[in-house]
Amino acid sequence: MQRTNRHTIEDNKFVELTYRVVDRKSGDVLTAVEFPLGYVQGRNEVLAPQVMAELAGRSAGETIKIPIDCTDLYGPRDESLVITDRIENVPLEYREVGTEILMENDKGQIKRFFVTRMDDRTLTIDGNNPLCGRQVVFELEILSVRDATDEEIRAGGKVDSGPDTGGLPTRPL
């Protein structure tokens, strides 16, 4: 009979954590999630598969660092997904670095692009994942680990009960 630690990350445990993604070359923080991210281990992949695998067996209170080659996650950069056009050809609402643009191809597939550069004459969008081609470190702080409820297991994460109406009268729709 295998014994498990009630506070160790394993399938069907509800986990809350925060994390940062740091560029290994520059040390820049590329992403920071400071509000706790909650999920049920083994029910959904909220982070890269390599990160999810490293979390298994860890406990609340641990801080871990996981180096990741993002080429393994997103493939090599595809320069055909980088498009530069004259700024007058771009609608005003897209003329800001960081703007997300969803585009649909002739097969009905949606692709996410981001405005990455802009000057007085041109604007560049990039359809590669922003982490594509980077070497990063995921720095995670495990805040809590507990048994997930049956409802959380089915949903793959925390289930909000909705607002407390405090006995306010309700009307049928």
Side-chain angles (χ1 to χ4, degrees), residues 21-35:
V21 179
V22 179
D23 185 283
R24 286 184 6 202
K25 186 175 181 181
S26 68
D28 293 340
V29 175
L30 305 173
T31 303
V33 175
E34 296 171 0
F35 187 77

Side-chain angles (χ1 to χ4, degrees), residues 18 24 26 37 43 47 49 54-55 62 66 69 72-73 75 81 93 105-106 112 121 133 142:
T18 57
R24 286 184 6 202
S26 68
L37 169 68
R43 291 295 170 174
L47 298 168
E54 286 289 328
L55 285 167
E62 285 190 60
I66 305 165
D69 179 350
D72 294 340
L73 293 178
L81 296 175
E93 63 266 23
N105 67 14
D106 56 357
R112 185 181 318 262
R121 298 178 331 153
I142 304 165

Side-chain angles (χ1 to χ4, degrees), residues 51-139:
V51 174
M52 298 299 289
E54 286 289 328
L55 285 167
R58 303 296 183 136
S59 301
E62 285 190 60
T63 300
I64 59 175
K65 295 181 180 186
I66 305 165
I68 301 283
D69 179 350
C70 290
T71 301
D72 294 340
L73 293 178
Y74 308 112
R77 274 189 64 77
D78 181 350
E79 292 305 320
S80 72
L81 296 175
V82 179
I83 303 163
T84 300
D85 200 354
R86 293 193 332 256
I87 198 145
E88 62 264 16
N89 294 335
V90 179
L92 286 174
E93 63 266 23
Y94 299 137
R95 294 184 191 179
E96 184 176 339
V97 172
T99 300
E100 178 181 359
I101 304 169
L102 296 178
M103 295 187 171
E104 185 175 343
N105 67 14
D106 56 357
K107 296 176 185 169
Q109 298 167 318
I110 303 292
K111 180 78 177 149
R112 185 181 318 262
F113 286 77
F114 290 94
V115 176
T116 56
R117 282 188 303 252
M118 191 175 85
D119 59 34
D120 293 339
R121 298 178 331 153
T122 63
L123 182 132
T124 301
I125 61 172
D126 189 341
N128 290 289
N129 184 291
L131 297 178
C132 190
R134 291 184 186 252
Q135 302 288 317
V136 301
V137 175
F138 275 76
E139 298 177 351

